[in-house]
Amino acid sequence: MLFNESGEIKQASLESYPADSYQELKEEARQCERCHLRQGCRQVVMGEGDTGRRIMFVGEGPGADEDRQGRPFVGRAGRLLDKILSAVNIKREKVYISNIVKCRPPDNRTPTRDEMKACSPILSAEINLIEPKVIVPLGSTPLKFLVDDNLSITESRGNWFNKGELYFLPTFHPAYLLRNSNMKKFVWQDFKLIKKSLDRIDEIYA
Ligand code: URA
């Protein structure tokens, strides 16, 4: 798990990343060779979006389209995410979207715990920079890595979890929805909640 119960990031190596400089962080991520995933992918896929809005969406890791284009969530799942966001009136470019790992795992497999840990200083630096009040884990992998290993996405989605001042609202990964369209109704509920909390965040931090 990346956070302790008080909502503090547990990674000690974070200080080496210049969280106050997004460009430097991106550059540092681009040069990262902390794990072997970098050798098997075309490029490092950093998170993208508005770093000033105090909300983050976190997926698992880049797939083939993301690896080609160098941007998160641009393939089929990403297009569905865009549709869901726009259905609740959230502009994609006005929120920050990232992944646990920034390099595509071979054959789109789930990243291993070691790979996630190796990549976590980058995610931690993104989190430190954005200071989110709400993080939306997209699917089981980020839910377990960010909140609690023992949680199931089916039971957890649509429920709030908090660590200190930080709140998590997990929902299904859009790729899962592509295979299980009967689950879209739940995600619709979740995103209505997300939109509500984003409006509240905007009120507080505007
Ligand atoms: N799935 C993810 O988890 N992240 C992406 O960027 C694309 C697909």
Side-chain angles (χ1 to χ4, degrees), residues 3-188:
F3 295 94
N4 66 20
E5 285 314 310
S6 316
E8 288 151 2
I9 293 172
K10 291 199 283 190
Q11 289 293 321
S13 52
L14 192 62
E15 282 72 29
S16 62
Y17 280 85
D20 58 338
S21 158
Y22 190 54
Q23 284 313 320
E24 278 174 57
L25 171 62
K26 282 212 279 200
E27 196 41 48
E28 202 148 350
R30 233 190 304 279
Q31 291 171 18
C32 176
E33 296 198 340
R34 282 168 175 260
C35 82
H36 58 103
L37 287 182
R38 183 66 190 92
Q39 277 102 59
C41 72
R42 289 187 195 199
Q43 53 188 319
V44 176
V45 178
M46 256 307 261
E48 66 172 28
D50 191 336
T51 55
R53 200 116 179 258
R54 306 229 169 191
I55 188 166
M56 281 177 80
F57 293 78
V58 181
E60 182 174 300
D65 293 300
E66 290 74 23
D67 186 47
R68 244 188 319 270
Q69 295 186 42
R71 296 179 54 211
F73 283 97
V74 289
R76 274 187 78 210
R79 286 194 293 278
L80 179 56
L81 178 62
D82 292 352
K83 270 194 198 163
I84 301 168
L85 286 169
S86 83
V88 291
N89 244 326
I90 297 176
K91 286 197 171 67
R92 175 190 165 123
E93 64 279 12
K94 292 286 178 194
V95 292
Y96 195 81
I97 300 176
S98 194
N99 280 302
I100 301 280
V101 298
K102 311 303 195 235
C103 292
R104 183 193 181 200
D107 305 319
N108 291 347
R109 66 160 168 74
T110 305
T112 65
R113 190 133 285 266
D114 283 349
E115 289 159 356
M116 293 193 274
K117 269 175 94 174
C119 207
S120 66
I122 302 174
L123 180 63
S124 302
E126 289 174 295
I127 293 169
N128 274 356
L129 181 106
I130 291 164
E131 297 184 296
K133 290 290 147 202
V134 172
I135 295 182
V136 180
L138 296 167
S140 170
T141 306
L143 169 68
K144 286 174 186 286
F145 190 68
L146 296 173
V147 187
D148 190 331
D149 260 329
N150 300 312
L151 292 173
S152 115
I153 186 68
T154 310
E155 286 165 15
S156 305
R157 61 132 286 276
N159 290 296
W160 289 103
F161 295 85
N162 82 299
K163 290 179 180 248
E165 306 257 294
L166 182 55
Y167 287 80
F168 298 85
L169 190 93
T171 189
F172 289 128
H173 192 287
Y176 174 77
L177 294 182
L178 289 171
R179 301 187 300 271
N180 301 276
S181 60
N182 56 330
M183 295 293 157
K184 282 185 184 165
K185 53 182 179 290
F186 298 116
V187 172
W188 172 240

